Amino acid sequence: MERRGGGQALTGRLMGERAIVLGGGIAGLCAAHVLSRFFGEVTLVERDRYPDGPVWRRGVPHGGHAHNLFQSGLAALERLYPGIERELVAQGMRRVRMPEDVLLLTPGGWMPRFRGRHVMLAGSRALLDWVVRTRLEQAGRVRIREAAEATGLCAEDGRTTGVLVRERNAENDSWGEPAQMPADLVVDATGRHSRAPKWLERLGCGAPEETVIDSRTVYATCVFERPELHDGGWESVLIQATGDSPQAGILIPLENGRWLVSLALVGGRPAPADVEEFRAAAATLRSPVISDAVKGAEPLTPVSSYGVTENRRRRFDTMPRLPRRFVPLGDSAGYLNPSYSQGVSVAVRTALALETALSEERSIDEAVTSLRRKAAEIFEPAWKMSVGSDLRWLGPMKLPLRNRLLAWYMQRLLEVAARDRRTALALLDALHMTGPGSALFRPLVAFAVLRGGRGDDLVPPERR
């Protein structure tokens, strides 16, 4: 099945005749939008059939859990689609100022709520995907092939020449025979279950080196109706886990007057099976704020769980025989524990880097080389933050010295952020990816971390 709007005007310089994007999540949608400015024909291949509205779909299994668009990702999305922030807010997403609008309980205590420089957009992943896809379809420059999937990569003389694609029969849900689709550039945005490593092995290129850090976190999520009389003076709540209390909780606003509440249980602990168990688990968090907020709230969904939460990095960028003109993007190249909500922002920023590379370089090959380098730079600080936070759950005897030091530093930094504003701002810079990758290791921040100390406020702070 294909979707395509009218109009095929090219708005950038022509770099090639055909480009193919595999995967129609946020990374794929944004990449296809960028490529439509530089290629005569762009096809997006998506295994799912898209829903006719902002609802959950099978191809984004974690889509019902908490997603936030942090400031750097929001800025990148706005550059790709001017005016989209205004549109998302009009559709019901909420602008949440951090730390002013957020109750954030770190391992060291509550972070002070002062007027800062960070804003995130909170709402459902389904709405975000829907608005971005609608924008892409309205532009009419990308052909979308739904119910189709790639089964292999085609290459010749070290250069990517296309992909093998098969289609699903709508009548009996069976798959047809693969057929070759030629392309001058192939982008793999199929996500964390990408089969690109297998494809590359079949081509004799070997597989990328992988690093996996798994804290065995399991998510449980339930959506509640926001009580009409609620006036807690906050928009969102985040309660981080500690060694003594290895469960975290987050409450974020959704469109249509709803709250999404997710509990993260570390170490492979079973997720609550129903709303009653969910409320009981929420009551064991370090603070009763979330539990009290939803005590009288009506649940609007069953409890859903998700357990694929490891950090996994695939080093395509260091492969000596990676075919030219093949680009793994988003979670296909590396993904993060969704506890830290950075994956969407990383994907959008990488798509913007793709636009920059195609604009500045003279050829597709040069643009791909530039993008691989820039994509690694974008991913690196998010990887360090996510891994540094998760390493503390693996136990010191299992880790090399470098990782033990990183885990110790991140734990200490989270504690110090409760009492030191400079450290709190550095932490938010890293979370929103608005500063340099070394923001957490600036001399004054490192000095505060080494000096140590905790916040001792037991009552959630007011705005200051």
Side-chain angles (χ1 to χ4, degrees):
M1 178 178 175
E2 294 186 4
R3 298 181 186 228
R4 191 170 188 169
Q8 186 65 10
L10 194 71
T11 57
R13 62 192 177 101
L14 186 66
M15 296 285 283
E17 290 298 325
R18 299 182 187 88
I20 296 174
V21 177
L22 308 176
I26 287 292
L29 293 169
C30 290
H33 170 72
V34 167
L35 294 175
S36 70
R37 296 184 51 223
F38 299 92
F39 288 80
E41 179 181 305
V42 178
T43 302
L44 186 150
V45 178
E46 167 52 43
R47 196 174 193 273
D48 263 1
R49 290 184 174 90
Y50 282 124
D52 292 326
V55 295
W56 179 89
R57 67 180 180 91
R58 185 173 55 181
V60 189
H62 60 298
H65 300 274
H67 285 79
N68 297 309
L69 188 58
F70 288 124
Q71 187 161 316
S72 64
L74 178 58
L77 191 64
E78 182 69 19
R79 286 189 60 184
L80 292 174
Y81 297 95
I84 198 168
E85 179 183 358
R86 183 172 60 252
E87 184 175 350
L88 289 167
V89 171
Q91 294 273 7
M93 294 191 80
R94 302 289 289 270
R95 298 182 83 253
V96 178
R97 300 165 296 183
M98 296 185 72
E100 186 175 356
D101 296 333
V102 180
L103 295 181
L104 201 170
L105 182 59
T106 76
W110 292 99
M111 180 179 288
R113 296 174 63 195
F114 53 87
R115 183 170 296 178
R117 53 178 179 256
H118 303 92
V119 175
M120 71 176 182
L121 213 56
S124 71
R125 172 65 186 271
L127 178 60
L128 178 61
D129 283 15
W130 166 255
V131 171
V132 171
R133 178 161 58 88
T134 300
R135 279 289 198 100
L136 183 72
E137 291 178 346
Q138 289 174 345
R141 298 196 301 269
V142 174
R143 182 175 61 161
I144 300 177
R145 288 184 62 178
E146 298 175 80
E149 71 169 0
T151 62
L153 192 66
C154 304
E156 192 173 300
D157 296 328
R159 171 180 160 181
T160 303
T161 57
V163 289
L164 295 173
V165 175
R166 64 180 183 176
E167 294 191 335
R168 180 185 284 146
N169 189 309
E171 294 182 0
N172 58 20
D173 209 35
S174 63
W175 289 101
E177 291 298 317
Q180 184 171 350
M181 289 181 62
D184 300 308
L185 176 67
V186 174
V187 173
D188 174 23
T190 54
R192 59 183 56 208
H193 299 298
S194 167
R195 285 175 284 178
K198 297 292 185 183
W199 299 344
L200 294 171
E201 283 188 307
R202 289 207 299 260
L203 291 172
C205 301
E209 177 187 346
E210 290 194 1
T211 302
V212 180
I213 303 294
D214 189 0
S215 62
R216 296 189 299 137
T217 299
V218 175
Y219 281 103
T221 296
C222 188
V223 176
F224 294 86
E225 184 174 9
R226 175 176 174 149
E228 291 184 6
L229 299 179
H230 171 77
D231 186 18
W234 45 261
E235 289 283 349
S236 180
V237 183
L238 173 58
I239 298 173
Q240 295 180 331
T242 66
D244 297 330
S245 182
Q247 55 272 328
I250 183 171
L251 183 156
I252 62 171
L254 297 183
E255 58 274 11
N256 302 321
R258 298 173 296 159
W259 277 339
L260 182 148
V261 180
S262 281
L263 306 177
L265 302 98
V266 179
R269 298 168 59 215
D274 54 34
V275 175
E276 183 177 350
E277 289 186 8
F278 187 89
R279 291 187 192 273
T284 67
L285 293 170
R286 294 169 53 218
S287 166
V289 171
I290 291 178
S291 179
D292 289 347
V294 301
K295 190 171 294 182
E298 179 183 353
L300 301 177
T301 67
V303 176
S304 60
S305 60
Y306 185 72
V308 186
T309 58
E310 76 268 20
N311 303 278
R312 184 181 297 267
R313 188 171 195 179
R314 300 183 176 116
R315 297 308 303 259
F316 291 101
D317 57 312
T318 61
M319 288 183 64
R321 300 183 62 192
L322 185 67
R324 302 192 307 278
R325 302 191 180 188
F326 173 66
V327 181
L329 200 70
D331 285 358
S332 296
Y335 51 88
L336 309 162
N337 183 338
S339 293
Y340 313 107
S341 294
Q342 292 182 305
V344 171
S345 295
V346 168
V348 178
R349 292 181 63 207
T350 307
L352 185 61
L354 172 62
E355 181 180 68
T356 301
L358 290 169
S359 298
E360 294 180 351
E361 303 298 338
R362 294 173 297 177
S363 68
I364 300 174
D365 290 340
E366 290 176 341
V368 168
T369 299
S370 174
L371 174 65
R372 287 174 182 161
R373 181 174 59 252
K374 183 59 179 177
E377 292 174 1
I378 291 171
F379 187 75
E380 182 69 22
W383 170 261
K384 283 184 176 179
M385 183 174 183
S386 186
V387 166
S389 298
D390 279 359
L391 284 171
R392 57 192 167 129
W393 305 114
L394 303 187
M397 298 305 294
K398 299 180 181 180
L399 303 174
L401 177 61
R402 179 181 178 181
N403 286 347
R404 293 205 303 271
L405 290 174
L406 179 60
W408 175 87
Y409 187 90
M410 287 299 301
Q411 175 68 21
R412 190 75 164 246
L413 184 141
L414 291 171
E415 295 175 358
V416 172
R419 68 168 181 82
D420 183 78
R421 181 173 295 197
R422 184 181 289 108
T423 304
L425 284 172
L427 178 62
L428 292 173
D429 277 343
L431 184 65
H432 286 260
M433 296 168 284
T434 53
S438 59
L440 296 179
F441 305 95
R442 294 170 184 157
L444 291 177
V445 174
F447 176 75
V449 169
L450 294 174
R451 188 176 57 191
R454 290 170 169 261
D456 54 8
D457 292 331
L458 299 180
V459 178
E462 301 292 333
R463 288 191 180 97
R464 298 178 184 176

